[in-house]
Amino acid sequence: MKEDQRPLQQRNKSPTSKLFTRSAAYGILVLLSYTLGYLSHTSPPQQQQLQPPSPVFQLADSPSQLDNFRVTAPCANSPLPPHLVFPTILDRVFNGSSPYSNFPPPYLSSFLKQRRIKGWGSYGAVFKHLIKRVKPQVIIEVGTFLGASALHMVNVTRELRLQTQILCLDDFRGWPGFRDRFKDIKMINGDVLLFQQFMQNVIYFNATGSVLPVPFSTASGLEKLCEWGITADLIEIDAGHDFISAWGDINRAYRILRPGGVIFGHDYFTKADNRGVRRAVNLFAQMNNLKIQIDGQHWVLDTSLAKHN
């Protein structure tokens, strides 16, 4: 038999490899045909293409879009008179008795300081400015911590001879890691004693007749106050510093603000969450035709000065 003179590479090709080569060529041909058909096809109709979101400043012209930003939890049909605010809180939150009664219990006494006050921007001139102007019968503070601002407002109302009730809405849990800075706030079985120290502070300053805690999260607490018909003449917002928290607190608080009342808050210049508080305040003011006033470190929205289109 004559020796095969083909190159070694050609001699090694099997029938299987030939089949594979034909299959690959066929696949490439089909792919090219599909690609050419796709490119020659007309572009999809315009309405099927995704549109970019509308800028924030355009929202005011679109009521249907604004509805997505509003809080719609149900509220009472009519507000309670101011003299029923404290009795309502005592009944619905504390089973009809004062939380200050027989406080502190013996087992807690050794864990609490006689007084432990700490706040941020709690003694600014804005408090006296607004209390003197509004003469509030009810103040709601959203975010209390150890009660520095609330107790300062008690002193201001006493100085002005006002009969003012102050509700302090806070879950009194602090924030993750806060005890790194406040190691003297004790903990028992995982329960930080922030609420108990706040109550001790109120007792020390003889303010139990003026200040009542509402120990819940700001969102759930504000919704319940609205449901119970509790409103305020002056509301301070000083809880979460991120946009979402501040936005929720401002919107829910605004629903329980009496007509002509003032809502104000701290941290307008705080950098947290890309100035989250400022962004929330600015958007809310724009959506509700309110003018933002600045008093020291605080922002102020006076509904009696609302702009009318």
Side-chain angles (χ1 to χ4, degrees):
M1 180 181 294
K2 185 178 180 181
E3 184 177 354
D4 191 353
Q5 300 297 320
R6 290 178 301 168
L8 181 60
Q9 185 178 7
Q10 293 182 15
R11 281 182 282 151
N12 290 339
K13 284 186 179 179
S14 64
T16 304
S17 65
K18 292 180 181 179
L19 178 62
F20 175 78
T21 302
R22 293 193 192 97
S23 300
Y26 180 79
I28 292 172
L29 181 60
V30 170
L31 181 61
L32 286 173
S33 301
Y34 175 83
T35 303
L36 290 173
Y38 176 82
L39 293 176
S40 64
H41 192 273
T42 56
S43 59
Q46 185 67 24
Q47 64 269 21
Q48 294 183 8
Q49 297 179 359
L50 294 177
Q51 300 298 321
S54 300
V56 170
F57 62 84
Q58 293 181 356
L59 290 177
D61 298 325
S62 180
S64 61
Q65 289 183 350
L66 284 178
D67 289 342
N68 295 323
F69 291 86
R70 301 191 188 280
V71 176
T72 58
C75 291
N77 293 328
S78 58
L80 287 176
H83 71 275
L84 292 181
V85 168
F86 266 31
T88 299
I89 294 297
L90 290 174
D91 180 56
R92 291 185 175 269
V93 178
F94 299 107
N95 200 29
S97 61
S98 171
Y100 302 112
S101 297
N102 302 314
F103 186 88
Y107 79 95
L108 274 182
S109 298
S110 62
F111 294 96
L112 303 176
K113 293 182 178 293
Q114 189 176 18
R115 55 171 287 183
R116 174 65 165 98
I117 304 295
K118 172 62 182 175
W120 296 266
S122 301
Y123 305 101
V126 64
F127 293 99
K128 189 169 185 178
H129 292 165
L130 294 179
I131 291 173
K132 189 174 182 179
R133 186 204 311 174
V134 178
K135 297 179 174 56
Q137 293 180 284
V138 178
I139 297 174
I140 295 176
E141 180 179 61
V142 181
T144 294
F145 199 51
L146 288 166
S149 298
L151 292 169
H152 175 61
M153 289 191 283
V154 169
N155 290 333
V156 172
T157 58
R158 287 173 175 172
E159 179 185 337
L160 297 174
R161 300 183 182 278
L162 299 175
Q163 299 296 319
T164 304
Q165 304 168 93
I166 302 175
L167 298 181
C168 293
L169 176 59
D170 197 307
D171 62 8
F172 295 99
R173 299 295 304 168
W175 57 89
F178 92 95
R179 290 189 69 253
D180 294 341
R181 297 173 59 185
F182 297 90
K183 291 182 172 60
D184 58 322
I185 304 296
K186 304 300 182 183
M187 180 181 287
I188 300 177
N189 298 114
D191 183 21
V192 65
L193 301 183
L194 195 59
F195 179 46
Q196 293 82 350
Q197 186 61 62
F198 161 80
M199 291 177 57
Q200 176 60 39
N201 292 338
V202 174
I203 290 172
Y204 178 86
F205 285 95
N206 193 28
T208 58
S210 304
V211 176
L212 263 184
V214 183
F216 301 102
S217 70
T218 58
S220 62
L222 287 169
E223 289 190 2
K224 278 300 178 184
L225 293 180
C226 198
E227 181 181 320
W228 297 337
I230 293 176
T231 58
D233 311 289
L234 184 63
I235 301 179
E236 181 198 8
I237 306 293
D238 192 10
H241 298 162
D242 61 285
F243 173 84
I244 296 298
S245 297
W247 175 256
D249 290 344
I250 294 169
N251 275 270
R252 291 183 175 94
Y254 188 67
R255 302 185 77 204
I256 60 174
L257 186 68
R258 287 183 178 274
V262 173
I263 185 169
F264 73 111
H266 194 225
D267 301 303
Y268 191 73
F269 300 100
T270 298
K271 294 181 180 180
D273 189 29
N274 190 27
R275 303 192 185 277
V277 171
R278 180 184 297 191
R279 290 189 291 121
V281 172
N282 290 352
L283 179 58
F284 182 84
Q286 178 186 345
M287 287 175 56
N288 293 278
N289 294 317
L290 296 170
K291 180 181 178 181
I292 302 170
Q293 299 173 306
I294 301 299
D295 191 329
Q297 299 177 356
H298 288 73
W299 53 271
V300 179
L301 299 176
D302 187 342
T303 62
S304 68
L305 303 177
K307 298 177 290 185
H308 300 288
N309 295 329

